[in-house]
Amino acid sequence: MSAQRANRWFDITNVVLVTCLVLICLAPFIHILAISFSSNEPIMAGKVSLYPVDFTLEAYAKVFQNDSMIRSLGFTIVLTLLYTALCMLMTLAAAYPLSKNSLKGGRLFMFFIVVTMFFSGGLIPEYILVKDLHLMNSMWSLILPQLINPFYLIILISFIRSIPEGLEEAAQIDGCSPLQTLFRIILPLSMPIISTISLFYAVNRWNGFTDTLFYITKPGLYPLQLKLYQLIMNNMATDMMQAEGAQMLRMTPESLKAASVMFATLPILLVYPWLQRYFVSGIMVGAVKG
């Protein structure tokens, strides 16, 4: 078999394999989307698979008429933006000095940072700390404990170290202070990795659930993920009462649950296209040597 023919079969195999993987990943999402646009009867009869049956927008109308969902969406957007901005500020403030070999004690700081990647105080000490700091039922309880991710910090340090030192030396000869060098030289050159890490931080906060369950009890501060959790748990409680012969309570339709899931998922998905041009170059940092 010639090399050209072998390459063609290799490309075809890759395309088929990647297409299958994409379909496997998209199938659950398409199924939820189809349920959200279907009426409850065909859903309960198990007739909805990958396309809507008895198309209706009633579930989305109910979601957008629900003031608590809109309030949770607004709170989650503000929380995600503030969290991402503060995380990037703190990560960049730590990464720039730690990227310098001349920093005294730099290796000791890196040792402590790496240790936190493998060992943590645990859930209960963290809960006690947040409670003693009077951060319960506060937006800051969802921000301060996770301000710097050690793994993202190491990636950013690696990227800054790849920038030629000659650029910084030239800026300093022209009279730039270290802070001016950071904002005028390092930041513009680091936009791919900053955009990528910002996306990671934003997705992590948007999908964050465990800490909200522990630290937030006020309904006015419920993020979207906690609202979805309550929606599903209320439905499960209704199912259990039905099984025990109790009186039928109001049950959340499956289409409404699916519409709520789409309502909570779509905003963060819309961010990806805006950061896509930076994503590939940013995520490949450290993958290519030389």
Side-chain angles (χ1 to χ4, degrees):
M1 181 182 295
S2 65
Q4 185 177 4
R5 192 173 180 182
N7 289 335
R8 187 186 305 167
W9 276 109
F10 180 75
D11 291 340
I12 293 174
T13 304
N14 277 340
V15 170
V16 172
L17 182 61
V18 171
T19 303
C20 291
L21 290 175
V22 169
L23 291 177
I24 291 173
C25 294
L26 285 179
F29 188 80
I30 296 174
H31 178 63
I32 295 295
L33 185 65
I35 289 178
S36 69
F37 285 116
S38 302
S39 62
N40 215 39
E41 289 75 15
I43 295 173
M44 299 307 292
K47 296 180 180 178
V48 181
S49 55
L50 298 179
Y51 54 88
V53 178
D54 193 10
F55 184 88
T56 177
L57 294 174
E58 185 181 357
Y60 285 97
K62 289 182 178 177
V63 168
F64 282 101
Q65 290 171 358
N66 189 330
D67 293 337
S68 64
M69 288 295 286
I70 302 299
R71 186 171 58 246
S72 293
L73 174 64
F75 176 74
T76 307
I77 290 175
V78 173
L79 172 66
T80 302
L81 291 176
L82 183 61
Y83 172 81
T84 305
L86 290 177
C87 285
M88 280 313 307
L89 179 64
M90 297 301 293
T91 305
L92 189 62
Y96 183 54
L98 288 173
S99 67
K100 307 300 176 189
N101 294 325
S102 58
L103 178 68
K104 293 182 179 178
R107 290 188 177 183
L108 183 62
F109 286 125
M110 284 303 302
F111 171 76
F112 287 123
I113 290 171
V114 171
V115 166
T116 61
M117 290 178 61
F118 303 102
F119 305 99
S120 67
L123 180 61
I124 294 178
E126 184 178 317
Y127 177 83
I128 294 174
L129 176 64
V130 171
K131 187 177 180 181
D132 289 347
L133 291 175
H134 304 290
L135 296 177
M136 299 292 288
N137 283 318
S138 162
M139 179 187 290
W140 298 108
S141 65
L142 308 178
I143 295 176
L144 295 181
Q146 307 178 45
L147 265 184
I148 295 181
N149 184 305
F151 182 66
Y152 300 157
L153 175 63
I154 293 173
I155 292 177
L156 189 54
I157 291 174
S158 175
F159 185 90
I160 294 177
R161 281 178 177 168
S162 68
I163 297 175
E165 293 183 5
L167 290 175
E168 294 185 60
E169 292 172 358
Q172 291 170 2
I173 290 173
D174 290 340
C176 285
S177 65
L179 200 59
Q180 289 174 322
T181 304
L182 173 63
F183 283 100
R184 294 184 179 182
I185 305 297
I186 303 301
L187 272 184
L189 294 175
S190 303
M191 285 311 296
I193 189 66
I194 288 175
S195 303
T196 304
I197 294 178
S198 297
L199 181 61
F200 289 157
Y201 273 130
V203 172
N204 178 59
R205 185 62 274 165
W206 187 275
N207 292 329
F209 164 70
T210 306
D211 52 351
T212 62
L213 184 63
F214 296 143
Y215 303 146
I216 303 297
T217 56
K218 286 185 179 177
L221 296 176
Y222 282 175
L224 276 176
Q225 302 302 327
L226 193 54
K227 287 289 296 182
L228 290 177
Y229 169 76
Q230 287 193 330
L231 192 68
I232 294 172
M233 290 304 294
N234 289 340
N235 215 50
M236 290 178 64
T238 306
D239 288 343
M240 292 175 63
M241 294 186 71
Q242 279 185 282
E244 293 172 356
Q247 193 70 25
M248 174 67 180
L249 298 178
R250 186 176 182 181
M251 185 174 176
T252 306
E254 293 295 322
S255 59
L256 184 57
K257 286 194 293 184
S260 300
V261 170
M262 297 305 300
F263 180 76
T265 306
L266 279 180
I268 196 66
L269 286 180
L270 295 178
V271 176
Y272 279 93
W274 299 97
L275 297 176
Q276 187 181 10
R277 58 176 176 165
Y278 299 115
F279 195 74
V280 175
S281 57
I283 205 170
M284 293 297 289
V285 171
V288 180
K289 302 294 183 183

